[in-house]
Amino acid sequence: MRALPDILVALVAALTAIAAAAAPTIGRIEPPGAPAGAEVEIRLVGGDLGDPQELFFEEGTIAVTSVTGVDEKTVKATLRVPADCPPGGHRFRIRTRDGLSDLRTFRVGGFEQVQEAEPNDAATTAQIVPLGRTIVGVVKAEDVDCFRVHLPAGGRIAVAVDALRLDQEMFDPHLELVDSRGFVVAACDDHPLLGQDAMLAATVAEEGDYVIRLRESAYGGNDGCVYLVHVGDFPTPHLAWPPAGPPGAELDVEWLGDPGGPFRQKARLPDTVPLDGIAEIHPQREGRTSPVGVPVRVTTAPAAAEAEPNDEPAKATQATAPGGCLGRLDKPEDVDWYRIVAAKGTSWHVRGWGRRLGSPIDLVVNIHRDNEKRERITGNDDTDGPDSAAKVTAPEDGSFLVRVADHLRRGNSDFVYWIEIEPAAPAVMVSVPPGRSNSQERLVAVVPRGNRSAVVFNAMRADCDRAATIACQDLPSGLTATAAPLPSNAPAAPVVFEAAADAPTATALSSIAVKAADDGYLIGNLRQTTELVFGPPNNATYRTSVSDRLPIAIVEPAPIRISVDSPAVPLVRRGSLGLRVRLERFDGFDGKVRLGFPFKPPGVSAPASVEIAGEESEAVYPLNANADAPLGTWQVVVTAAARPKGKDRDDATPLVSTLLVPIEVAEPVVQLAADKASVEQGCETTIVWKVTKPGDFVGAAKARLLGLPAKTEAPELELQPGATELAFPVKAAADAPPGSHPNVFCELRVPRGDAWIVHAMPPTQLRIDTPLPTPAEGSSP
Amino acid sequence: MIRQVAWLMAIVVASGLSGTVTADTPYFAITIYPPRAQLDSSNDRQRVVVQARHADGRTVDVTAAAELALSNPKLAAIDKTAGQGILLRPLADGEGTIRAAVGGLVQEIPLKVVSASSPAPLSFRRDVMPVFARAGCNMGSCHGAARGKDGFRLSLFGFDPAGDHHRLTREMPGRRIDLASPRESLLFLKATGQVQHTGGKRCEPDSELAATLVRWIEAGAPDDPGPDPSNSVPKLIALDLYPPAALFEGEGAAQQLVAVARFADGTDRDVTDLAWFASNNDRSAKVSADGMVTSGNRGEAFVMARYDTLTVGVPLVTIPKGLSFTFQSEPALPGATEGAKVIDDLVAAKLASLRMTPAPVCDDEAFLRRVSIDLVGLLPTPADRARFLTDSAPDKRARLVDELIARKEFVEIWVMKWAEILQIRSQGNDVSPKGAILYHQWLDRRIAANEPVDRMVRDLLTASGGTFASPPTNYFQLERNTLKLAENVAQAFLGTRIQCAQCHNHPFDRWTMDDYYGFAAFFAQIGRKRGADPRETIVFDSGSGEVNHPVTGKPAAPKFLGGEAPKVADRDRREALAAWLTSPDNPFFARHVANITWAHFLGRGIVHEPDDARVSNPPVNGPLLDELGRRFAASGWDFRGLVRDIVTSRTYQRSCEPNESNRLDETNFSHALVRRQRAEVLLDVIAQVTDTKNKFPGLPLGARAVQVADGRTTNYFLTTFGRATREDVCSCAVKMDPSLSQALHLLNGDAANDRIRQGGLIDRWLKEGRTPTEIIDELFVRCDCRMPTERERIETLVTVLDSPDRRQALEDVFWALLNSPEFIFNH
């Protein structure tokens, strides 16, 4: 979880409207993974874990045979990992009585596990480990863990460590293989394939004992720095050639990067394109399978293989759009050119895949016109991490050129890349923005039975300005969802989930579809990135997980329910409106309630939160519109977090919400404007507001001046329909502060039915002057 | 300078390195200075001095006594009334010779006179600007201050003549310069003290300096002609100072100096009256404003002259009058390398010139302790000592050196030294702790493999890539400011500090602002971007970016320090720089690395401080430094070879006991210097002798202080004893001076007492049944690498036996030994 200094957390909490739902958290998973086919008891350590009801694996591949709460901080569970379970991180959460935990992953893969046995800090006390084992351990503060293996002359050893990829802690491991004389035989800190995690392999000349030494890269470490070290003689390639293939294909892969040299393998790609576009294939050689998967891009784009020499535009390799360019920068200073056939005016995404596929390349992609001068149109270096992504519209009929290079002008047979040219299709994708104090906050919907909960989806529009609706599918029994419309000018839209009073508690994944409002055509869906591991500098994100489904949990009833009155009057530009919120308390709940306003329509502002004290049952949530707020009707929602007495947190119970309520942003009924005025201390003046836009209303509007300087006063006046001006007599006391006071404005409340439409007019200036000095006696005028 | 010391050596060698100085020894030779005289205009003149030399090297200024004659008396007039020296004034064009005769010795130099009838035009840059320098007007404390003084500003030391001309003639017209009435100009009145002037009188109204100002104003105060006035006058290319050396006998001897400026058009000029003179040791040789040197106490001095942008100096030595001296040459030590013999010869030559007798070679115990601390940062164990003392082979010292150099602790010492030079430390978001450790590991592997130093530095200076994947790129993260980076590179790898030249031409060195910005331009195109790891930065050659010269406002072209401007288009400028910097022909790099190494083992650099080589801070033994640098480069930059040369030399192995002749010598390596152990080594040897383990943040228990990778690591002991934080490139960041807080920390802090307890050695030995005498002997051997003297043993034993708590008493002995200077210092 993102850790912020207390003061920052407090500040953020004060600024954000709503607090988190009751949120169990998982800090540590022991062990953090298991091999396929194993049955394993795990211990989850975290917070608010009392009364666990379900351990929910999203893919459902891993069977959970028991879940037992030990205390508020600990849960025990038994897992059965099927023999054919896909290796890698499996997403899971815990649902408790009234909450759903943050997302964690459980890593499947490796060999039979052995537990690290301290003391093992030095070569002399190294723990003896046979090959073909996975060591489960932890690097504590400034700790070094040593494991001894015995190797014959010419024996091969491969070691891989899962540390940061366990998605638990900012743990950057450093791995060394040391011989009996203390010399380092092989070392790895960061691996091109594994990022901060490490993998090494070596063939030793002499028979003897060798020590695997593991530490944090900067001699850090803590109790959360758990690891899985796989020790064996498995192959260790980090790159596939070709690095891309169509779904369902049996790819004849040449594995690159193993110290023993390249080797080949037939590898079958999945039948569908995975969400992140990548399938991990575990290389196999002579019956040994690597516990480390090598990524292969799965794509329907047809490949055009580079035809050397193509290091100048005139010799560019012909490719198509859509399509892909398959090549490598095989020597320093190498550049590759491709000619892409495309019709004039068509738009394309040109995306480079290199580092994501285990290649050391730092791609730079530039797009040039295919004319004599070959002017550069656009280009990109690092949009996708070290990989590149650019969007181009074909400038002329026929073709454009793509130039591929390494940022540091390096090159060798490992500098493999795949450039994919896809049509720039219009789309509206949605996601839930990460919380500011806790990035996983609000990424799930937790709905108490008989209550409501709201999730606000941000819209990311790509060449698409169509009005849309959000459709939530695959909802659990007893749950309904009501989505606010997503007009073309809306940055976001709230969705309210409501659980029936008798809905069974459950956890589910909802598919979120975005459909065009007019024809119902599917134009997008959810693409949710969940941040998992943070580290320096500035709490940067190190690990994320992507999903296209929203986790939803139905939990036990909450102690409060809120509703909101539909406002009888519009919110006018530069005006304000109070939303009346009513609170129902259950089971004797008498604590404070903090209201929030999570979705602010464009141009509308609201305070971060409004509190309802323990003895009260309603509150007004004030909204303001600026002078340029788009006109129209918006569906908004108010949320509430209950704080039981004696608790110092707002997230002790789930966050509930009202139903959607419409507010109309309208033009002001009447508009006034005033000239600047001045007054001498101790005197009186008149500020005249002229009606610049007469309004049609019944009865008298009430007007008063706000923002007057101290020690000045003006009476409240009435404005009749048809009046042309409003003259406020303003009295300044003899000691009224001299100077210019630029924010004097007129609040005008216009009656409509039993309610008032509150206007605020553009401010004017009142200058207070000091009196001229009295002329000295005898002086001439 | 080097040439000058070589000359001094030559005369010493010629005199057979020995002899007795007596006052009545006849002169051996006389020399006229300058070696040629040239008069280029009717108002030109040339000062001439004659120096006589005794066979033993003593010199005497015999100008007054010399009989001077011209081969053609029509060419020039000899003015003997000029005060200092003899002045030649032109009469007619032509060539001839000047002949001097003293005490039967005769020498001739050529004389050439051209344009004898036409005066040289008055030039603002050549004539007027030097007046401001000589009179001190453009010093930092006067009008050369950044905001000027009393409303009038001149560029500091005259770095901006165009700006100065503008301020003189365009600011406050009619006041500073009064063209109608030149002698009413404030410039003249203030300088000559005729009106109130905060700076007082700078010259007499009838002086030549004042006359130059008046003549210039009378001429209309013109700037030099042409569209680019700075190119209309010939460039100054050299400044020569004569005589190149002097060896005074006794107090009160005098020698007039002559400064001659040479210009690009082949003309020269006697600038003795315009130069600014200073001595670095007034006690031994004081110089007047007119360049007259007077000898004082025994010692060496370096007298400098500055004119325009150039500073040059000559070495002067004063020896006692009537000193009786014999220099005994000594054979090379067994096992000494060829390099060691060269070192010994060159040091001996200098000592002989100073009439100093060096100390003898130290005994085996002192050598073993000294070399162990210096080479591996540890004390010899009692077993090491026993083995070494019983070894009777004559070359056992050289073999010990080989053994120690092969140890990994030797590598760690030099990784630590280079880590200071490269400033390896974590730094905010620019260099993460992981980056610092990887950088340190990179260095460690290079030094462990004895990689040629030139390659290591070249790889560092041209490093590109991620700060994790290519750790030397961290060098460019630790200093991201282009100008500061250039300053760091000059100081770290060339041993010269160019910082002053950022704002003005260096007053005590050769560096001008052109040099500074030309050098900085090599670093103008370093690009940086975030790496895949948020802690990592990719450093690369961006191919664009310039450094603008603040005077011209235009991009400065990359130019090597004191060298040419290479072609850098379409290549990484750093590659050009690194190739030049690490070339064997580079005049600075090899000498600087050799000097750093020398300073580590001898306690003082041949240039001191090692990273402050400048004209005004010359090497104490130029030939030695030259030879060390030359041999180091020629060896393929074999660092271990360089160390072997130094450590197997007699010079390194001398005792620290001085004799009468070298008692005051701290600079010429006539005896070993007693040096406090540096902070890291001291802490490590305390841990070693007490059998305890160090603990540093970010390192496992038992790590040695010399292994600390991150300069930001804090430790009270190391800070107190002056460990460098590596925030500054300066070699002075390592504090080696003893201080009260260090003494108090050892006396009262946890460094000694707690560690003695923690290690439990006394307890263990008592339990093993060792006697107090055995334990006392063991403690002396452990701490000081020697057995106690009989008196030390008896007195200590009596104290221990008298004590009711024997363990406590023995621990007290241990504590006392750890607090003794003999333990704390290397000697």
Side-chain angles (χ1 to χ4, degrees):
Chain A
M1 193 174 298
R2 188 184 292 241
L4 288 174
D6 288 350
I7 189 159
L8 204 55
V9 171
L11 190 64
V12 169
L15 289 173
T16 46
I18 47 177
T25 53
I26 304 169
R28 216 159 66 231
I29 307 149
E30 297 169 348
E39 180 156 333
V40 59
E41 184 180 76
I42 64 169
R43 207 166 76 101
L44 306 174
V45 182
D48 292 320
L49 291 173
D51 200 5
Q53 300 196 338
E54 185 182 10
L55 184 60
F56 179 74
F57 276 90
E58 290 191 356
E59 293 92 341
T61 325
I62 297 175
V64 181
T65 52
S66 74
V67 182
T68 318
V70 178
D71 52 36
E72 275 293 304
K73 292 182 177 172
T74 316
V75 168
K76 277 188 179 171
T78 310
L79 310 181
R80 200 163 53 233
V81 185
D84 59 352
C85 183
H90 290 251
R91 294 160 55 105
F92 75 93
R93 298 170 195 266
I94 281 190
R95 177 169 56 79
T96 58
R97 183 197 169 280
D98 51 11
L100 189 61
S101 78
D102 47 356
L103 175 70
R104 293 288 143 201
T105 62
F106 183 76
R107 195 152 192 93
V108 171
F111 311 113
E112 182 188 334
Q113 293 186 343
V114 292
Q115 197 67 36
E116 174 207 7
E118 292 272 7
N120 58 355
D121 296 348
T124 48
T125 55
Q127 179 180 354
I128 295 168
V129 175
L131 296 192
R133 293 290 187 278
T134 293
I135 307 154
V136 185
V138 51
V139 168
K140 300 190 174 178
E142 297 160 9
D143 190 11
V144 179
D145 286 350
C146 298
F147 307 98
R148 186 181 308 146
V149 289
H150 188 84
L151 297 174
R156 178 189 154 91
I157 181 168
V159 186
V161 56
D162 298 333
L164 197 67
R165 289 174 303 148
L166 298 174
D167 298 330
Q168 293 192 30
E169 184 72 35
M170 177 58 213
F171 173 28
D172 179 353
H174 181 93
L175 194 60
E176 288 172 326
L177 181 70
V178 183
D179 70 14
S180 56
R181 287 160 297 175
F183 284 98
V184 174
V185 178
C188 180
D189 194 315
D190 296 342
H191 191 278
L193 176 59
L194 309 177
Q196 289 77 11
D197 282 355
M199 176 162 74
L200 58 82
T203 302
V204 299
E206 293 173 20
E207 183 183 353
D209 282 350
Y210 291 80
V211 170
I212 299 161
R213 210 153 59 188
L214 178 73
R215 61 169 168 84
E216 203 275 335
S217 65
Y219 289 100
N222 60 54
D223 289 356
C225 289
V226 293
Y227 58 79
L228 297 173
V229 171
H230 312 292
V231 184
D233 57 353
F234 49 85
T236 57
H238 61 79
L239 184 58
W241 177 264
E250 190 175 63
L251 215 56
D252 185 11
V253 173
E254 180 184 31
W255 294 117
L256 305 173
D258 187 283
F263 61 96
R264 303 192 82 87
Q265 179 189 338
K266 300 267 189 213
R268 187 172 168 78
L269 298 184
D271 293 334
T272 55
V273 177
L275 193 59
D276 58 1
I278 283 175
E280 286 199 350
I281 311 291
H282 290 255
Q284 286 182 334
R285 184 169 63 183
E286 295 162 8
R288 315 279 190 216
T289 304
S290 172
V292 175
V294 178
V296 174
R297 165 75 173 145
V298 183
T299 173
T300 53
E306 151 185 42
E308 289 278 11
N310 62 341
D311 48 3
E312 53 187 273
K315 297 174 184 167
T317 300
Q318 192 77 36
T320 59
C325 310
L326 176 64
R328 56 176 122 199
L329 301 173
D330 52 10
K331 56 183 181 300
E333 306 290 338
D334 192 15
V335 292
D336 289 348
W337 288 84
Y338 294 88
R339 176 169 286 106
I340 309 294
V341 175
K344 180 178 180 179
T346 50
S347 289
W348 303 92
H349 289 296
V350 180
R351 293 204 172 96
W353 295 70
R355 195 68 64 84
R356 283 175 288 182
L357 302 177
S359 169
I361 200 168
D362 180 356
L363 274 171
V364 180
V365 171
N366 280 299
I367 295 149
H368 298 250
R369 296 180 76 154
D370 191 9
N371 58 17
E372 277 192 4
K373 290 186 176 172
R374 275 126 191 171
E375 300 103 326
R376 179 178 173 277
I377 305 167
T378 183
N380 181 257
D381 181 2
D382 283 348
T383 287
D384 281 336
D387 290 346
S388 312
K391 189 182 158 194
V392 61
T393 301
E396 46 238 334
D397 251 343
S399 55
F400 59 85
L401 296 166
V402 174
R403 179 183 184 274
V404 182
D406 178 70
H407 182 261
L408 296 171
R409 293 176 275 186
R410 301 166 298 174
N412 65 40
S413 58
D414 274 7
F415 279 64
V416 167
Y417 62 83
W418 165 255
I419 308 293
E420 195 160 317
I421 299 104
E422 310 158 66
V428 182
M429 305 298 283
V430 292
S431 68
V432 186
R436 292 169 71 179
S437 60
N438 168 5
S439 82
Q440 288 208 34
E441 180 182 294
R442 287 185 286 157
L443 303 191
V444 295
V446 178
V447 194
R449 290 195 293 166
N451 214 319
R452 301 172 284 260
S453 182
V455 172
V456 177
F457 291 93
N458 275 3
M460 294 161 286
R461 292 175 177 271
D463 302 317
C464 183
D465 58 0
R466 301 176 73 179
T469 57
I470 297 170
C472 304
Q473 298 151 345
D474 310 324
L475 297 175
S477 168
L479 191 84
T480 56
T482 313
L486 188 62
S488 58
N489 61 345
V495 174
V496 171
F497 296 91
E498 184 164 18
D502 58 352
T505 57
T507 316
L509 293 173
S510 171
S511 300
I512 309 292
V514 182
K515 296 177 177 174
D518 46 6
D519 58 11
Y521 189 77
L522 183 69
I523 53 173
N525 54 22
L526 176 75
R527 190 175 178 88
Q528 186 65 48
T529 300
T530 305
E531 298 172 336
L532 295 169
V533 181
F534 308 94
N538 307 324
N539 277 315
T541 306
Y542 281 75
R543 293 281 300 169
T544 59
S545 179
V546 180
S547 169
D548 58 356
R549 291 180 297 170
L550 180 78
I552 296 178
I554 300 174
V555 297
E556 297 296 344
I560 57 167
R561 186 161 57 204
I562 57 167
S563 57
V564 61
D565 293 353
S566 210
V569 291
L571 169 62
V572 294
R573 284 176 166 175
R574 217 195 286 279
S576 56
L577 172 72
L579 282 181
R580 186 164 300 280
V581 181
R582 301 181 194 281
L583 170 69
E584 294 174 77
R585 297 170 183 269
F586 305 113
D587 303 328
F589 172 74
D590 56 358
K592 287 180 192 168
V593 172
R594 187 180 294 275
L595 304 179
F597 191 71
F599 169 61
K600 298 183 188 73
V604 173
S605 59
S609 65
V610 168
E611 193 170 279
I612 301 181
E615 65 279 6
E616 290 170 0
S617 61
E618 66 173 58
V620 171
Y621 215 110
L623 309 181
N624 292 286
N626 67 30
D628 301 318
L631 304 176
T633 300
W634 301 89
Q635 301 282 341
V636 298
V637 69
V638 177
T639 60
R643 180 190 289 189
K645 280 191 173 161
K647 294 269 187 179
D648 56 357
R649 292 160 49 193
D650 283 335
D651 62 352
T653 63
L655 188 70
V656 298
S657 80
T658 64
L659 291 172
L660 293 172
V661 60
I663 58 165
E664 184 195 355
V665 177
E667 289 278 13
V669 178
V670 184
Q671 274 188 342
L672 310 177
D675 290 334
K676 291 177 182 176
S678 64
V679 63
E680 198 170 284
Q681 284 173 329
C683 299
E684 196 171 319
T685 188
T686 306
I687 300 181
V688 179
W689 294 80
K690 293 200 169 142
V691 177
T692 54
K693 181 196 159 197
D696 183 16
F697 58 93
V698 178
K702 296 195 171 192
R704 56 177 175 155
L705 289 186
L706 297 176
L708 281 172
K711 301 189 176 171
T712 53
E713 56 182 42
E716 190 168 312
L717 303 179
E718 287 196 343
L719 181 76
Q720 300 299 332
T724 57
E725 66 172 38
L726 202 53
F728 283 95
V730 178
K731 265 189 206 166
D735 56 350
S740 289
H741 303 277
N743 282 316
V744 176
F745 63 94
C746 173
E747 182 200 75
L748 186 72
R749 286 177 293 143
V750 179
R752 178 170 295 174
D754 295 336
W756 299 93
I757 307 172
V758 183
H759 294 64
M761 301 306 164
T764 187
Q765 175 184 297
L766 175 66
R767 195 183 70 232
I768 299 178
D769 299 325
T770 47
L772 288 173
T774 313
E777 272 185 37
S779 62
S780 55
Chain B
M1 166 60 214
I2 295 153
R3 178 169 50 85
Q4 294 149 355
V5 173
W7 174 86
L8 200 62
M9 302 280 166
I11 58 172
V12 169
V13 171
S15 66
L17 288 176
S18 63
T20 304
V21 175
T22 54
D24 53 357
T25 311
Y27 297 139
F28 175 76
I30 63 164
T31 314
I32 308 175
Y33 294 106
R36 56 188 286 276
Q38 178 170 320
L39 300 168
D40 300 311
S41 64
S42 64
N43 48 0
D44 199 0
R45 67 271 172 90
Q46 179 62 58
R47 193 179 302 272
V48 171
V49 294
V50 184
Q51 187 187 45
R53 214 163 69 226
H54 290 284
D56 60 9
R58 287 171 297 131
T59 60
V60 181
D61 186 344
V62 292
T63 313
E67 291 172 20
L68 248 69
L70 299 183
S71 60
N72 179 358
K74 291 181 181 163
L75 291 181
I78 298 175
D79 181 359
K80 270 206 162 190
T81 62
Q84 298 87 20
I86 295 167
L87 221 50
L88 296 178
R89 296 185 190 279
L91 294 176
D93 289 4
E95 295 193 25
T97 58
I98 310 169
R99 186 171 184 276
V102 180
L105 296 169
V106 173
Q107 206 217 350
E108 276 187 358
I109 61 164
L111 167 69
K112 185 178 178 184
V113 182
V114 291
S115 308
S117 54
S118 51
L122 189 70
S123 156
F124 179 69
R125 281 165 182 74
R126 282 187 66 173
D127 299 299
V128 181
M129 288 297 291
V131 173
F132 300 136
R134 171 63 188 251
C137 311
N138 59 16
M139 291 192 302
S141 56
C142 297
H143 299 288
R147 293 182 172 191
K149 189 68 91 182
D150 293 348
F152 175 42
R153 190 191 150 216
L154 287 168
S155 60
L156 188 59
F157 303 119
F159 68 80
D160 181 17
D164 289 345
H165 185 267
H166 173 87
R167 284 182 283 271
L168 281 164
T169 59
R170 296 288 182 273
E171 284 181 5
M172 299 191 179
R175 260 171 76 76
R176 287 176 186 160
I177 304 289
D178 187 344
L179 295 179
S181 180
R183 285 181 181 274
E184 295 301 314
S185 302
L186 271 188
L187 183 67
F188 176 77
L189 293 175
K190 291 246 181 192
T192 54
Q194 297 183 61
V195 295
Q196 168 64 32
H197 182 214
T198 312
K201 185 195 276 189
R202 307 308 302 174
C203 57
E204 295 299 332
D206 57 352
S207 66
E208 260 195 64
L209 297 183
T212 303
L213 294 181
V214 171
R215 275 203 296 139
W216 175 63
I217 300 169
E218 283 170 349
D223 196 356
D224 293 314
D228 181 4
S230 62
N231 281 331
S232 70
V233 290
K235 286 257 184 295
L236 173 68
I237 55 168
L239 179 64
D240 299 323
L241 188 60
Y242 301 106
L247 180 57
F248 296 115
E249 186 186 14
E251 204 173 331
Q255 173 67 56
Q256 172 65 40
L257 301 180
V258 178
V260 180
R262 283 188 280 130
F263 296 90
D265 63 351
T267 60
D268 65 14
R269 182 175 192 183
D270 182 348
V271 293
T272 312
D273 290 339
L274 292 173
W276 173 89
F277 290 96
S279 167
N280 71 350
N281 180 5
D282 279 348
R283 287 175 58 245
S284 293
K286 194 171 183 171
V287 64
S288 73
D290 300 319
M292 176 63 82
V293 180
T294 313
S295 66
N297 297 340
R298 178 179 189 156
E300 287 180 282
F302 187 72
V303 172
M304 286 160 285
R306 187 177 79 231
Y307 173 74
D308 198 352
T309 58
L310 296 184
T311 303
V312 294
V314 290
L316 304 168
V317 173
T318 303
I319 57 172
K321 207 169 180 70
L323 180 72
S324 175
F325 173 78
T326 306
F327 191 88
Q328 300 291 345
S329 59
E330 298 163 297
L333 293 172
T337 62
E338 278 307 307
K341 293 172 190 164
V342 172
I343 289 170
D344 288 339
D345 288 347
L346 291 169
V347 171
K350 177 72 191 290
L351 294 179
S353 78
L354 297 171
R355 305 326 194 233
M356 275 182 202
T357 304
V361 165
C362 64
D363 63 26
D364 277 352
E365 284 176 329
F367 174 76
L368 176 64
R369 188 176 191 273
R370 183 190 300 172
V371 81
S372 297
I373 291 173
D374 283 343
L375 281 176
V376 295
L378 290 171
L379 291 176
T381 62
D384 292 337
R385 175 179 170 274
R387 189 166 52 87
F388 186 69
L389 293 184
T390 51
D391 188 347
S392 57
D395 64 343
K396 66 176 180 179
R397 291 194 180 190
R399 283 194 290 106
L400 174 68
V401 168
D402 285 341
E403 276 171 35
L404 293 175
I405 284 179
R407 283 171 60 171
K408 85 176 178 54
E409 288 86 355
F410 170 81
V411 172
E412 286 164 355
I413 289 281
W414 286 96
V415 170
M416 173 182 67
K417 294 278 287 185
W418 277 98
E420 281 160 9
I421 294 168
L422 306 186
Q423 297 175 271
I424 296 180
R425 70 188 193 286
S426 58
Q427 179 173 282
N429 290 343
D430 293 334
V431 180
S432 64
K434 170 171 170 162
I437 287 176
L438 289 172
Y439 188 14
H440 194 263
Q441 272 175 3
W442 171 85
L443 182 63
D444 186 281
R445 281 174 196 157
R446 298 296 177 112
I447 293 176
N450 198 28
E451 184 172 287
V453 175
D454 66 326
R455 193 191 304 163
M456 185 177 90
V457 172
R458 213 158 44 233
D459 288 354
L460 177 95
L461 290 178
T462 58
S464 287
T467 47
F468 291 173
S470 175
T473 50
N474 282 294
Y475 188 72
F476 301 99
Q477 281 295 93
L478 286 162
E479 184 51 77
R480 293 164 62 104
N481 177 298
T482 304
L483 299 184
K484 289 204 173 107
L485 177 61
E487 292 168 7
N488 285 357
V489 169
Q491 191 163 348
F493 303 114
L494 302 173
T496 186
R497 302 179 186 179
I498 60 172
Q499 283 84 335
C500 298
Q502 182 187 349
C503 303
H504 55 82
N505 297 330
H506 200 302
F508 306 117
D509 207 348
R510 53 192 290 198
W511 309 127
T512 63
M513 292 174 77
D514 292 350
D515 290 318
Y516 180 93
Y517 289 96
F519 192 65
F522 285 108
F523 304 99
Q525 303 193 337
I526 296 170
R528 295 174 180 89
K529 68 167 187 173
R530 277 280 154 219
D533 186 307
R535 296 164 294 176
E536 192 177 20
T537 301
I538 313 277
V539 174
F540 59 96
D541 172 33
S542 70
S544 64
E546 297 291 350
V547 170
N548 285 344
H549 194 300
V551 174
T552 63
K554 292 177 184 160
K559 180 174 171 296
F560 302 134
L561 265 188
E564 61 181 16
K567 286 181 183 160
V568 289
D570 299 328
R571 67 186 287 207
D572 190 335
R573 291 181 177 186
R574 296 177 301 159
E575 283 176 10
L577 173 77
W580 165 80
L581 189 142
T582 58
S583 154
D585 302 329
N586 183 296
F588 309 106
F589 178 63
R591 290 201 305 169
H592 176 56
V593 177
N595 190 41
I596 292 172
T597 314
W598 179 273
H600 172 79
F601 290 104
L602 277 297
R604 189 181 168 94
I606 301 169
V607 172
H608 179 75
E609 297 277 341
D611 58 357
D612 192 16
R614 61 188 136 83
V615 173
S616 51
N617 182 31
V620 291
N621 191 332
L624 173 62
L625 186 56
D626 285 349
E627 190 57 18
L628 281 177
R630 192 195 64 74
R631 294 183 68 90
F632 178 41
S635 71
W637 308 88
D638 174 11
F639 179 71
R640 287 194 169 94
L642 173 66
V643 170
R644 208 173 274 118
D645 287 349
I646 295 173
V647 179
T648 59
S649 73
R650 186 179 285 276
T651 304
Y652 172 75
Q653 298 184 20
R654 292 198 186 285
S655 159
C656 51
E657 281 293 325
N659 55 43
E660 199 51 46
S661 73
N662 67 8
R663 189 168 303 283
L664 298 176
D665 176 47
E666 293 279 318
T667 59
N668 283 293
F669 318 112
S670 59
H671 59 84
L673 297 178
V674 176
R675 297 166 276 146
R676 206 206 75 215
Q677 296 184 53
R678 43 180 301 148
E680 295 92 334
V681 172
L682 184 59
L683 185 55
D684 285 342
V685 299
I686 289 174
Q688 184 194 2
V689 298
T690 55
D691 201 16
T692 53
K693 288 180 174 174
N694 295 326
K695 180 71 197 85
F696 303 104
L699 282 177
L701 182 68
R704 292 169 60 224
V706 298
Q707 295 170 324
V708 171
D710 184 352
R712 197 166 293 279
T713 305
T714 53
N715 175 288
Y716 184 79
F717 182 95
L718 295 180
T719 306
T720 307
F721 281 82
R723 166 183 180 269
T725 56
R726 303 181 192 163
E727 285 172 16
D728 190 350
V729 71
C730 183
S731 61
C732 56
V734 179
K735 302 280 188 303
M736 297 293 283
D737 306 325
S739 71
L740 182 63
S741 59
Q742 292 167 8
L744 289 173
H745 184 61
L746 271 183
L747 286 169
N748 305 325
D750 56 9
N753 200 36
D754 290 8
R755 278 180 180 262
I756 291 169
R757 280 283 165 86
Q758 206 182 321
L761 283 175
I762 304 283
D763 237 6
R764 201 190 312 158
W765 291 335
L766 286 171
K767 279 177 188 155
E768 285 171 5
R770 295 210 209 176
T771 63
T773 314
E774 286 169 347
I775 292 175
I776 289 166
D777 287 356
E778 172 85 20
L779 288 175
F780 270 82
V781 170
R782 267 180 104 84
C783 297
D784 295 339
C785 192
R786 67 173 174 89
M787 294 295 269
T789 62
E790 206 48 39
R791 186 176 160 201
E792 283 169 338
R793 185 183 286 131
I794 289 168
E795 287 182 357
T796 315
L797 193 58
V798 166
T799 315
V800 170
L801 294 178
D802 283 352
S803 167
D805 184 344
R806 196 161 289 181
R807 181 181 66 93
Q808 178 67 55
L810 285 165
E811 282 179 357
D812 288 350
V813 173
F814 202 170
W815 175 88
L817 282 170
L818 291 188
N819 275 288
S820 68
E822 187 174 355
F823 175 75
I824 297 164
F825 284 76
N826 194 7
H827 36 79

